[in-house]
Amino acid sequence: MPGKNLSRDEAQQRASILAVDGYQVRLDVTSAPDRAAGTFRSTTTVTFRCSQPGADTFLDLLAPAVRSVTLNGRALDPATAYDGARVHVDGLAAENVLTVEADCAYSRTGEGLHRFVDPVDGETYLYTHYEPADARRVFANFEQPDLKAPFTFTVTAPAAWDVWSNAPHENVDAEGDARTWEFAPTKPISTYLTAVVAGPYHVARDHYRRELADGTALEIPLSAMCRKSLAPHFDADEILGVTKLGLDFFHEQFDYPYPFGKYDQAFVPEYNIGAMENPGCVTFREEFVFRSKVTDAAYEGRANVILHEMAHMWFGDLVTMRWWDDLWLKESFADFMGSYGLIGARTRYSSAWVTFANQRKAWAYRQDQFPTTHPITADIRDLEDAKLNFDGITYAKGASVLKQLVAYVGSEAFFEGARRYFKRHAFGNTELGDLLEVLEETSGRDLRTWAAAWLQTSGVNALTPQVTTDAEGRITELAVLQDGDVLRPHRIAVGLYDRDADGVLVRTGRIELDVAGARTVVAEAVGLPRPALVLLNDDDLTYCKIRFDEESLATLRTGLGDISSELARALAWSAVWNLTRDGLMPARDYVALVLRFAGQEGNIGVLQSLHAQAKTAVDLYADPAWRGEGGRLLADGALRELREAVPGSDHQLAWARFLAQTAGGAEHLGLVRGLLSGSARIDGLEVDQELRWSLWLALAASGQAADEELAAELEADNTASGKHHYTQCLAARPTAEAKAAAWSAVIDSDELPSALVEANTAGFSIPAQRDLTALYAAPYFKLLERVWAERTIEISMRIVGGFFPIAQTDEQTLAEADAWLAGHPEAAPALRRLVLERRDDLARALRAQACDRA
């Protein structure tokens, strides 16, 4: 496969003849503070064996220039050996030493070695991010997960900097204005897991100690770091406290000592994802350093990510999938363990499974209903496929299925299987069969049938209760109907809910059973009084969409907020949202539920989800003729709840942000401006910097923020975050000039970092401004292939997704998307997948509008 891609077949062929003994990588980044310097020196020496002497192979490398290539002492001509993506070598010996010296490029897209200059103090920061295949932007290597090897890094950097990598440093030599950091060899790891972080970071240090069963002690140095200008906001004690709880928990569960020596956690700027599990040197997006007040849901989310990445030290780093087909072997487990660990590690976040049911599974349900959905064990043909496979199926659906598996085999059998898996495959690579083997051993169950149904098929089932009663109101039959292309076995609980003396909906009965086939009778329900609400999948044991019989749905319309159980209430909210997305409940009915009951919702994470979903319901799923009224209702509701919320509470802050998102009328915008100027006040509401930007965005989108006002706010908050908000505000202004400028900034130049690409597309694509952006639909479809060919895949994905004309929600735009797909059958499969998914979102919106109109 030509170019920057790498196919599975090529990777398998290369792995069949090569075994890598080790890498020595030397990087010189002393040029980094010079903004005019675009490259750094990279020298790789890789020692490897070849089972077919005389064969040829290639290393992966994306670099502006290659200075020299030397194989077993023989110099190769870089002009012929290097084609821009691969270093080709031939005449291999049984044992080989290959050295490649190159000039590699500093990145502004978060791929490879990213360079960031802090606008606050002018300091320069570096960090790497590679998954799935960007280590080749920093050093030459065999870029595939199953060619593991030890890595020894040596990094020369400015003398005032510190440097971190996967292993501890063994020596630091100073010479002039530079220091050279020599790191110990790593354990055998995959290329995408290597890491370098360098710069004048602020660092907090701690230590973890654990007595092991053999009488020895495990000592793990801990650190957490961020940019110096963020240090006043860095709650390192909280971060390191969660870290130590997690290390205790995972050692208890996995019975395999943490294998990577130290545990550094770097919070870095302009990061493209949430975090990355580089062993010994985990990287996180610095938005997890909260510079203004956030709700407790944000702290829970950060703690979840900390535990998610820690779980990867075992699931993914110690034992790694052979190829990206089995990406789920690490991501599904880590996603599950993030929530499981919040409870098991005894953190203060006791509602982790509520968050999982309401938020993570919503992502999975959406992804699983695209025409591009795939089994959890996916068919990944190449690296572009792999990049797109970091999705709701691999993470959230996989985690949901694992949650069901734990219920199916029992938690002790599950974790004993994990222990055997780590010990049996430590520092190796695995496939699905390796996991099933150990779980069958520990559970005594045949899991091949289970795997075939759950891991090797796609799509989500819908479960619906069917209730018949006699004249006295007692159940004569309760059946569970299963719908879907593939009917799967489900272990579920059926919750029966009635009102108590205080009018609260409480569970009066629970029946746990296996559901199989199209119709399953719940025999234990016969003779019971008909409850007000039948809630399938109570306790959220399986992965499915749940529906309601008419009487239960009527109960929810009048009393959803009265459900006493936080988890049951979250499941009900999730279910009515799925009904709305599926065009089975009018969008205005969903909005009415939110307006009636969201003020009663105690779980702040659920409340914030309701806000986002209600806004989507109005913007995309409501009849266009009702959008204006729907938007006013949301803004009125936000204002009412803001004024009634407990002063200083998380709920007050959430409602203030929602008001900023929905404000459109004079009363709402007048309050927004008053809060900014200080002429208006809500008792207990602190209008800090992040909230200020939310309020300015509301004014900018309404055409009521002058250029000089936005510039003054940026001057007061001249930070990376401030620049991001400012850029979004400029793009959000309701003028043709603002839209043209945002479009041009992204399309006509490749100078913007990914964070500012995202800011421009977000401001450009405000749904209420669809009349202004309509004229960009045709140019959008014309430029797709050029963008895909010329930009990195990370930037391309942001452009393709961010500029798709979803807000148009009309048949003409749908026809344009269909015409592009029909006319470009040979376009890159990953590009076609992105367009097809956005096209499906658009078609879903049109179906939902038809339901709302009717």
Side-chain angles (χ1 to χ4, degrees):
M1 184 169 291
K4 299 176 183 178
N5 212 338
L6 173 71
S7 73
R8 177 178 52 204
D9 290 344
E10 287 178 306
Q12 289 173 343
Q13 192 279 330
R14 187 162 62 177
S16 71
I17 64 170
L18 301 184
V20 185
D21 297 313
Y23 288 86
Q24 291 184 334
V25 180
R26 179 176 289 272
L27 306 176
D28 184 339
V29 296
T30 52
S31 62
D34 179 2
R35 300 188 192 188
T39 62
F40 59 92
R41 185 70 60 85
S42 169
T43 304
T44 302
T45 298
V46 55
T47 304
F48 63 100
R49 287 164 283 136
C50 177
S51 63
Q52 296 178 10
D56 58 3
T57 191
F58 62 91
L59 277 76
D60 302 285
L61 178 66
L62 298 176
V66 171
R67 291 170 175 259
S68 65
V69 180
T70 305
L71 174 65
N72 299 328
R74 172 170 57 99
L76 306 180
D77 182 1
T80 55
Y82 182 56
D83 65 6
R86 297 174 176 185
V87 178
H88 299 270
V89 292
D90 57 11
L92 296 177
E95 297 183 354
N96 301 273
V97 178
L98 175 63
T99 299
V100 178
E101 185 178 6
D103 293 328
C104 292
Y106 294 111
S107 168
R108 291 292 284 130
T109 65
E111 301 153 292
L113 182 63
H114 187 84
R115 176 170 60 179
F116 174 83
V117 179
D118 192 335
V120 175
D121 55 17
E123 295 281 15
T124 300
Y125 294 87
L126 303 178
Y127 65 85
T128 58
H129 177 68
Y130 298 150
E131 191 174 39
D134 284 317
R136 56 190 172 151
R137 296 182 184 275
V138 177
F139 60 93
N141 62 75
F142 299 113
E143 188 83 285
Q144 58 189 80
D146 59 343
L147 287 177
K148 283 187 167 184
F151 290 80
T152 303
F153 282 92
T154 302
V155 181
T156 302
W161 287 14
D162 290 323
V163 182
W164 294 263
S165 188
N166 303 92
H169 67 269
E170 292 186 323
N171 188 49
V172 181
D173 288 329
E175 183 177 347
D177 294 332
R179 287 194 294 173
T180 297
W181 298 69
E182 298 174 358
F183 293 91
T186 70
K187 299 290 188 181
I189 58 177
S190 301
T191 54
Y192 77 91
L193 292 168
T194 59
V196 171
V197 174
Y201 284 87
H202 165 78
V203 186
R205 302 186 189 279
D206 205 334
H207 196 83
Y208 175 85
R209 177 184 172 88
R210 182 179 182 84
E211 300 295 330
L212 300 179
D214 62 3
T216 62
L218 178 66
E219 305 279 355
I220 305 176
L222 308 178
S223 76
M225 67 202 77
C226 69
R227 288 185 289 128
K228 288 192 297 186
S229 63
L230 281 176
H233 311 290
F234 195 40
D235 54 338
D237 288 345
E238 168 74 12
I239 290 166
L240 293 169
V242 171
T243 300
K244 288 187 278 190
L245 288 173
L247 287 170
D248 268 339
F249 173 71
F250 287 125
H251 280 109
E252 290 166 6
Q253 295 296 328
F254 295 160
D255 191 32
Y256 193 107
Y258 172 72
F260 298 109
K262 64 183 179 66
Y263 203 86
D264 299 323
Q265 296 175 100
F267 293 77
V268 298
E270 298 182 335
Y271 206 42
N272 288 333
I273 61 173
M276 181 62 203
E277 68 268 19
N278 316 306
C281 190
V282 183
T283 41
F284 296 81
R285 64 186 299 118
E286 71 176 15
E287 284 76 5
F288 285 128
V289 180
F290 306 123
R291 65 188 197 128
S292 294
K293 181 180 179 180
V294 297
T295 69
D296 207 46
Y299 287 99
E300 179 190 319
R302 183 179 67 184
N304 184 298
V305 174
I306 289 171
L307 297 185
H308 174 118
E309 303 309 323
M310 188 178 293
H312 273 311
M313 299 299 125
W314 290 267
F315 282 113
D317 296 358
L318 177 65
V319 183
T320 311
M321 73 273 150
R322 190 173 307 283
W323 177 249
W324 301 101
D325 306 70
D326 282 313
L327 174 64
W328 79 280
L329 280 173
K330 70 185 187 77
E331 293 302 347
S332 297
F333 276 91
D335 213 53
F336 169 75
M337 294 306 304
S339 296
Y340 191 95
L342 285 178
I343 306 296
R346 297 178 291 281
T347 72
R348 64 186 179 88
Y349 305 107
S350 58
S351 297
W353 288 123
V354 176
T355 305
F356 182 82
N358 186 256
Q359 296 179 18
R360 298 302 285 180
K361 291 181 97 170
W363 181 27
Y365 295 143
R366 176 175 181 265
Q367 192 79 46
D368 212 8
Q369 293 177 88
F370 281 142
T372 57
T373 188
H374 57 84
I376 294 172
T377 54
D379 179 23
I380 303 300
R381 297 161 294 184
D382 54 42
L383 290 178
E384 288 192 356
D385 277 357
K387 183 72 173 177
L388 267 64
N389 210 43
F390 291 83
D391 60 16
I393 303 300
T394 300
Y395 285 76
K397 181 180 179 180
S400 303
V401 168
L402 288 178
K403 186 182 181 187
Q404 182 201 140
L405 178 62
V406 173
Y408 181 61
V409 303
S411 60
E412 181 50 42
F414 177 83
F415 283 105
E416 176 57 27
R419 295 171 200 128
R420 296 186 188 184
Y421 181 71
F422 299 139
K423 292 169 184 174
R424 193 170 298 174
H425 301 288
F427 302 108
N429 297 86
T430 59
E431 298 173 343
L432 169 63
D434 301 305
L435 176 69
L436 296 182
E437 178 182 334
V438 294
L439 290 176
E440 287 179 337
E441 290 174 7
T442 59
S443 70
R445 289 180 177 268
D446 175 8
L447 294 179
R448 306 289 163 161
T449 301
W450 175 88
W454 280 106
L455 302 179
Q456 297 167 346
T457 63
S458 60
V460 56
N461 298 120
L463 301 183
T464 306
Q466 186 180 67
V467 188
T468 57
T469 58
D470 59 20
E472 297 177 350
R474 294 190 172 275
I475 296 174
T476 56
E477 184 179 73
L478 170 57
V480 179
L481 308 183
Q482 179 177 189
D483 186 27
D485 293 336
V486 178
L487 302 184
R488 299 178 179 86
H490 298 266
R491 184 71 179 175
I492 70 166
V494 179
L496 310 177
Y497 288 78
D498 266 313
R499 293 192 181 275
D500 65 10
D502 297 322
V504 178
L505 280 167
V506 298
R507 188 162 69 184
T508 57
R510 180 185 186 276
I511 304 169
E512 190 168 326
L513 74 155
D514 291 319
V515 168
R519 191 173 191 272
T520 303
V521 174
V522 185
E524 294 178 52
V526 175
L528 297 176
R530 157 79 216 206
L533 170 65
V534 176
L535 182 64
L536 300 185
N537 197 32
D538 205 3
D539 297 326
D540 199 33
L541 299 183
T542 193
Y543 170 78
C544 69
K545 294 189 295 184
I546 55 175
R547 309 297 198 201
F548 302 100
D549 64 286
E550 287 300 322
E551 188 169 333
S552 296
L553 189 56
T555 297
L556 293 178
R557 291 182 187 278
T558 59
L560 193 158
D562 299 332
I563 300 173
S564 61
S565 164
E566 190 178 51
L567 179 55
R569 202 167 58 247
L571 291 170
W573 278 120
S574 175
V576 294
W577 175 240
N578 279 321
L579 289 172
T580 306
R581 291 192 71 248
D582 291 347
L584 300 175
M585 173 181 281
R588 67 190 72 197
D589 287 8
Y590 179 79
V591 170
L593 284 170
V594 171
L595 291 172
R596 183 169 185 177
F597 299 118
Q600 299 174 230
E601 181 51 57
N603 185 289
I604 187 62
V606 172
L607 176 63
Q608 291 173 292
S609 292
L610 297 180
H611 288 164
Q613 290 163 356
K615 187 75 165 57
T616 298
V618 169
D619 288 341
L620 299 182
Y621 297 160
D623 178 4
W626 187 77
R627 278 183 194 141
E629 180 182 350
R632 286 189 294 274
L633 288 172
L634 288 183
D636 287 343
L639 182 57
R640 179 182 67 252
E641 296 294 345
L642 171 60
R643 287 173 169 157
E644 294 179 358
V646 175
S649 65
D650 282 0
H651 285 64
Q652 182 188 58
L653 177 59
W655 285 110
R657 289 177 175 169
F658 192 48
L659 176 64
Q661 295 168 18
T662 56
E667 179 184 9
H668 315 123
L669 292 171
L671 176 60
V672 165
R673 183 165 284 279
L675 290 171
L676 280 167
S677 67
S679 63
R681 187 172 177 274
I682 301 291
D683 186 29
L685 181 66
E686 179 185 355
V687 184
D688 57 24
Q689 189 59 66
E690 287 298 310
L691 183 54
R692 287 185 65 83
W693 279 118
S694 296
L695 298 172
W696 276 120
L697 181 60
L699 292 178
S702 300
Q704 297 189 27
D707 290 356
E708 56 269 22
E709 290 180 308
L710 295 175
E713 193 68 27
L714 176 63
E715 185 176 358
D717 182 32
N718 189 23
T719 64
S721 182
K723 183 62 180 295
H724 181 280
H725 290 304
Y726 173 74
T727 301
Q728 184 174 354
C729 285
L730 292 183
R733 293 171 299 172
T735 66
E737 293 78 12
K739 300 308 172 188
W743 177 272
S744 177
V746 173
I747 299 301
D748 296 338
S749 170
D750 62 358
E751 295 299 315
L752 286 184
S754 55
L756 295 187
V757 170
E758 182 179 55
N760 273 292
T761 59
F764 176 93
S765 302
I766 291 177
Q769 298 171 356
R770 50 180 55 84
D771 290 345
L772 283 170
T773 56
L775 60 89
Y776 291 90
Y780 167 86
F781 288 108
K782 291 179 181 177
L783 60 78
L784 288 175
E785 287 187 295
R786 175 171 65 85
V787 165
W788 198 262
E790 296 176 356
R791 304 294 182 90
T792 68
I793 189 169
E794 186 69 41
I795 296 296
S796 297
M797 289 168 62
R798 291 173 189 266
I799 294 173
V800 174
F803 278 143
F804 185 90
I806 183 67
Q808 302 313 314
T809 58
D810 55 33
E811 295 291 345
Q812 178 182 342
T813 308
L814 186 67
E816 289 178 315
D818 287 339
W820 186 88
L821 288 164
H824 297 81
E826 302 303 319
L831 171 59
R832 285 183 55 83
R833 172 178 166 174
L834 286 171
V835 175
L836 189 57
E837 289 177 354
R838 299 292 81 75
R839 183 264 179 212
D840 191 70
D841 280 335
L842 177 57
R844 180 178 291 275
L846 291 171
R847 293 194 298 272
Q849 287 178 19
C851 172
D852 191 62
R853 195 158 43 242

